Every structure is written in structure tokens, then in C-alpha cells.
Amino acid sequence: MSPESVLAALPVDPADPLVQAVGGAVALLLLLLALAVIRAGRAARTAARLAAQVEALAHAQSRSAGAQAQAVQAVEARLADVSERMGESLSGAAARTAHSLGELQERLAAIDRAQANIEKLSGDVLGLQDILSNKQTRGAFGEIQLHDILSKALPPDAFRWQATLANGKRADCVIDLPPPTGPLAIDAKFPLESYEALRAAATEAERKEAARAFRTAVRGHIRAIAEKYVVPGETADGALMFLPSEAVYAELHARFGDVVREGFAARVWIVSPTTCMAVLNTLRAVLKDARMREQAGAIRATLGLLHRDVEQVVERVGKLQTHLAQAQGDLDGIGTAAHRAMGRAAKLENFELDTTAPDEPQRKGVTILRP
């Protein structure tokens, strides 16, 4: 609105100087006010732009702070992962090291045990040499080995130790075989001195002399066994000479076959631990056969009782089959009756009443009511 329009709207005279002065003042005031409004708008726009810039700066700073926080978190996560992997690696290395040390300790312990066993075995070998160097202890060693073999091969009541014969001689062991064989004597005392001398011979002359002495000693031992332990009418017609060493047995059969044949001729059979076990297994079969013959009557009586029991079982099985057949027939009849009752119940449910009685056989003791 211009100052002229304002003055025109007022009830005054526009030509009045006062009115014109007042109008000029009002116009000036309005101009100043417009200028103030324009400046205020410019200031507001400037402030808005500054506010937008501040907001953008704050937003940029916030995004920078977020990116920095994300970077810090990523670095921390990476450091935690690296720390965890290093911990797992160190833990695995420690476990493997501990396992290796444990295995090493076990192997060292096994080596210590093996060393102890070797030392013990060396002591046992020396002890065995001391035993075999004495005639009495050598005989006891042979008896112990023979006792172990007999205990594994024969029942306890099949042999006797240190049995005295009718001629007053005492055998190391006697196996009680059934007639007509009779008791079989076993001698476990072998002259080992001549064999040790044969092994220790260094020159050809010493070997010949040792072989001659060994042959003489074995022949004398065979004759002594045949004279002492083969008693006609009391014992078997032969005896066993037990050698507690497979090496002596092999040497005797390899180089002194004539001595072995002389033993056969004198009915003195030379056995080692291995061959003695084979002979004893054969004797066990003989003892078992003899005892089977002794118990043949009792076995036949037991077989008769067993046959009667089997007959009773067969008879009772037949009766049981008859009862089962009868029960099966009753079950079939019950199934048929149940099926018929279900059909009638279905008809009653559908009100299909049939006044004509069908041709049905009458059950014994059962009255059938028709609808």
C-alpha cells in the first residue's frame, strides 16, 4: 500500500502541507520497515544457509566418527582373532609337545623295562648254567620240566612221581597205562657233562674225544634205564629217556644215529620236550579209550535212559500237537461265529430284519435266537 493510497483513505485534505509531511514521514517509515524486512529475510536466509552448513558439517563429522568407530571395531576384532589364533596355535603346540614328551617317557620306560628284563634274563641264564652244572640240580630241573609237560597232557591220576618198582628202583615218573601195556617209566636225568664238553671242544682231536665220551655216556645211560625201569610182568616192555633240551636231542639225532638205534633196540625211547608232548597226547588217547571201555556198561545204561527220555518227549510232543490242533479248531469256530455276529449286528443297525431263519447248524449247548 502506497502512502498516497493511505492518505486518500483518510478523511483529510491531501493538499494540506501537514498532511503531506505526515504522509512523507509515513512513507519513509514504511520504506525503512521494508528495508528492515528485506534485511531480516536476507539474515534469515543467511542463517538458514549457515544452519544447513553446520548441520552438514555435523553430519559429516558424525559419519567420520562412525567410520572411525567401525575402523576401531574392525581393528579390535582383527586383533582378537589374531590373539585367539595365536592362543590356539600355542595351545596346540603345547599339547603336541606334551604328547611327544609323554610318548618319549613311555618309550624310555619301555627301554628301562626291556633293560631290566635283559638283566633278569642274563641272571636267569647264569642261574640255569649253575643248575645244569650240578648233576642233582640238573635232575631236579629235568623233573620240573617233565612235571609241567605231564600236567598239561595227562589227567592227574594217570601218573605217579618217584614211584618205587618191585626191584627197589625208583623211577622219576611212572605213567599208569592200562593192560596189556602196563606202567611206563620215565627217566629225567641225562648226562649233560659230556655234551658240554662236546660243545666246548676247540680242536679236531678234542672234538673226537668229546664225541667218543658223549657216545659212551649216552649208551651207559640207556643200559641203566633198560636195566632199572623195564621189569617184565610189572612195567611196560620199554621206558622213556627225557632230554630237557631240544639242542641235545637235535645233536644226538644228527650226529649219533647209531646211539639212537641202540636205544630203540633196548626199548628205551629218547624224547625231547616237543616229542614228549606228542607221545603223551598219544598215551592220553590210549587212556581215554581204556576208560571208555571200562565205562561201557554205564554208558549203555545211560544211553538206555536217554532213549526212554527221548521216547517220553516224543509222546508228549504228540499229545501237545493234538491239543494244539483241537485249540486251532476251536479258534476257527470262534472266528466264524464272530464274523457271523458282526454281519447280524450290521443288519440290525440298518434295520434289515429277516424273519426267515437261515439254514444254520445248531451249536452244541447254544440256543440261537432269531429276530
Side-chain angles (χ1 to χ4, degrees):
M1 181 178 295
S2 62
E4 291 78 5
S5 60
V6 174
L7 293 175
L10 293 176
V12 292
D13 186 6
D16 191 355
L18 180 60
V19 172
Q20 291 179 356
V22 172
V26 170
L28 181 60
L29 180 60
L30 290 175
L31 180 60
L32 293 175
L33 181 60
L35 292 175
V37 169
I38 292 171
R39 290 180 179 179
R42 291 178 179 176
R45 286 193 297 271
T46 303
R49 287 196 300 272
L50 291 175
Q53 292 178 359
V54 170
E55 184 178 359
L57 182 60
H59 183 67
Q61 186 176 3
S62 176
R63 285 187 297 178
S64 177
Q68 185 177 3
Q70 291 179 357
V72 171
Q73 291 179 357
V75 171
E76 291 179 352
R78 184 64 177 172
L79 289 176
D81 185 37
V82 172
S83 298
E84 183 179 359
R85 291 184 180 180
M86 289 183 63
E88 292 178 355
S89 178
L90 292 176
S91 177
R96 290 192 295 271
T97 303
H99 182 69
S100 300
L101 290 176
E103 290 183 349
L104 180 60
Q105 187 174 3
E106 291 179 359
R107 292 178 182 177
L108 291 176
I111 293 174
D112 292 339
R113 290 193 297 269
Q115 183 66 27
N117 291 332
I118 292 174
E119 293 177 357
K120 182 177 181 299
L121 183 61
S122 300
D124 293 340
V125 171
L126 294 176
L128 181 62
Q129 290 179 353
D130 295 337
I131 290 174
L132 298 179
S133 63
N134 184 275
K135 185 176 182 179
Q136 293 181 351
T137 55
R138 185 173 64 249
F141 173 73
E143 291 179 5
I144 292 172
Q145 193 172 5
L146 179 62
H147 184 277
D148 183 62
I149 296 174
L150 286 171
S151 300
K152 294 178 180 178
L154 299 178
D157 58 347
F159 55 91
R160 294 170 290 151
W161 290 100
Q162 300 299 323
T164 303
L165 304 178
N167 58 4
K169 304 298 181 179
R170 179 177 295 180
D172 294 330
C173 180
V174 173
I175 301 175
D176 294 323
L177 296 177
T181 304
L184 178 66
I186 304 178
D187 183 84
K189 301 179 182 66
F190 181 77
L192 196 62
E193 295 87 352
S194 57
Y195 175 73
E196 293 294 337
L198 180 62
R199 289 186 56 191
T203 63
E204 185 65 23
E206 290 178 354
R207 283 192 290 271
K208 289 182 179 180
E209 180 62 24
R212 185 190 62 79
F214 180 72
R215 181 178 286 105
T216 301
V218 174
R219 285 175 175 172
H221 194 57
I222 290 174
R223 287 194 299 268
I225 292 174
E227 293 173 359
K228 294 190 294 183
Y229 303 139
V230 180
V231 180
E234 180 184 0
T235 65
D237 58 353
L240 296 180
M241 183 173 70
F242 178 72
L243 302 180
S245 174
E246 296 287 348
V248 179
Y249 182 82
E251 183 72 19
L252 191 61
H253 281 74
R255 298 179 55 187
F256 302 94
D258 55 337
V259 178
V260 176
R261 289 190 293 272
E262 290 180 9
F264 289 159
R267 296 188 178 277
V268 175
W269 298 285
I270 304 172
V271 293
S272 66
T274 303
T275 57
C276 182
M277 180 63 73
V279 172
L280 293 178
N281 286 331
T282 304
L283 297 180
R284 180 176 61 185
V286 173
L287 291 172
K288 182 178 180 180
D289 182 68
R291 293 185 180 183
M292 289 287 290
R293 289 197 302 269
E294 292 176 358
Q295 301 295 328
I299 292 173
R300 284 195 296 270
T302 304
L303 288 176
L305 295 175
L306 180 61
H307 181 68
R308 187 180 64 181
D309 293 338
V310 171
E311 289 179 347
Q312 291 179 356
V313 170
V314 172
E315 181 181 357
R316 291 177 181 176
V317 168
K319 292 181 180 179
L320 181 60
Q321 288 178 348
T322 302
H323 293 317
L324 291 176
Q326 293 176 355
Q328 184 64 38
D330 294 337
L331 289 174
D332 294 339
I334 291 172
T336 303
H339 183 69
R340 188 182 299 111
M342 290 175 61
R344 291 178 180 175
K347 289 181 179 181
L348 287 174
E349 185 178 358
N350 298 326
F351 296 99
E352 297 176 0
L353 302 178
D354 189 4
T355 57
T356 60
D359 296 334
E360 295 179 358
Q362 294 293 330
R363 300 298 181 185
K364 187 180 295 183
V366 178
T367 301
I368 301 175
L369 298 178
R370 303 297 179 187

